[in-house]
Amino acid sequence: MGNDLILQTVQAWTKDHDPVQARIAVFERVRDIPYAYPASRDPVEVLESGHGSCSGKHYLLGEMYRLLGLKVRHMICTHRFNEAPIVFPPYMQAMLQKNEIIDLHDYLQLWIDDSWIDIDATWERGLREFGFPVNEEWDGKNGMLLSVVPEDFSVAERDPQRLKEELLSKLTPRQRTLRKQFLELLSEWVQELTAEPKRDGDISG
């Protein structure tokens, strides 16, 4: 049943598109699913709920690309929020000044024109005006900017969720606690930012 929903959604999003247009359309739709943490990593639940973390959004995108006949692999990279290309609000900056906050980031690679290219749908389009590294105007052929500054990479050959849990287990309890706290603050902040245009929606230019 769930797979049927994903298939029907892909078909609706890509109707009358050529292969390149189809992969662009699917990317843009998943990219613009609002970011949230914590959130389900199940692709169907991400689609039904209309929000997801980097894991859930890329699990959904991966399933959709496979339905389009593309070769996909899930990637996980280590990064530090201290090096993120985002200007966080003061209370989050204060947390980063006191702590090194390590995270594991999910993204995809697609096999296009005989090479693997990076695909990152983490941040929705509306976050660009707030300084987030949003991937816009993708041509459907070339790799794109990752939403984090990666330190190392792991290819999830089989189960990306299991691999991520294994990698997270290597962090210390304090590192895992700080990561969780920061991601929750990040999610709350992102939701506040994306709600602002709705509150100001009655103002015309």
Side-chain angles (χ1 to χ4, degrees):
M1 188 71 177
N3 289 337
D4 290 342
L5 175 62
I6 294 176
L7 177 59
Q8 291 167 8
T9 304
V10 169
Q11 291 172 339
W13 288 354
T14 62
K15 185 178 180 181
D16 300 324
H17 288 3
D18 65 31
V20 174
Q21 291 172 333
R23 71 180 74 130
I24 294 172
V26 167
F27 168 77
E28 291 180 344
R29 291 282 196 143
V30 175
R31 176 200 63 198
D32 291 338
I33 292 173
Y35 175 87
Y37 175 91
S40 174
R41 294 173 178 172
D42 179 84
V44 175
E45 291 181 12
V46 171
L47 189 57
E48 290 178 332
S49 68
H51 60 264
S53 63
C54 67
S55 301
K57 290 176 70 169
H58 287 106
Y59 293 172
L60 172 60
L61 187 58
E63 289 299 312
M64 290 184 160
Y65 277 147
R66 291 184 185 94
L67 289 171
L68 291 176
L70 293 166
K71 188 176 180 181
V72 182
R73 67 182 185 185
H74 290 267
M75 303 292 295
I76 299 174
C77 69
T78 303
H79 73 101
R80 298 167 200 272
F81 278 112
N82 310 71
E83 300 176 2
I86 299 170
V87 179
F88 297 106
Y91 61 92
M92 294 176 70
Q93 291 183 29
M95 189 174 176
L96 291 170
Q97 287 170 0
K98 295 178 181 178
N99 306 280
E100 181 181 60
I101 301 181
I102 302 171
D103 183 36
L104 293 165
H105 176 63
D106 291 77
Y107 64 102
L108 299 178
Q109 287 189 336
L110 292 182
W111 184 254
I112 302 292
D113 296 333
D114 298 322
S115 65
W116 289 107
I117 65 168
D118 292 337
I119 304 293
D120 196 319
T122 302
W123 304 127
E124 61 203 88
R125 182 173 49 186
L127 291 171
R128 182 175 183 176
E129 65 179 291
F130 301 105
F132 284 69
V134 177
N135 284 301
E136 288 190 294
E137 300 179 1
W138 181 44
D139 63 4
K141 300 176 182 179
N142 294 296
M144 57 183 69
L145 182 71
L146 294 184
S147 63
V148 301
V149 179
E151 294 188 0
D152 53 44
F153 308 84
S154 297
V155 180
E157 298 288 356
R158 295 184 178 85
D159 186 344
Q161 187 165 332
R162 181 176 178 180
L163 175 60
K164 187 165 188 174
E165 293 300 331
E166 290 176 356
L167 293 171
L168 284 171
S169 71
K170 297 179 180 179
L171 299 179
T172 67
R174 174 174 168 76
Q175 287 173 328
R176 291 196 295 271
T177 297
L178 286 169
R179 171 185 176 271
K180 182 176 183 295
Q181 291 173 348
F182 194 84
L183 285 171
E184 289 172 347
L185 290 174
L186 175 62
S187 181
E188 291 172 4
W189 179 49
V190 165
Q191 290 172 38
E192 289 173 5
L193 293 176
T194 53
E196 287 182 9
K198 297 175 185 177
R199 290 198 297 268
D200 301 335
D202 57 334
I203 300 176
S204 57

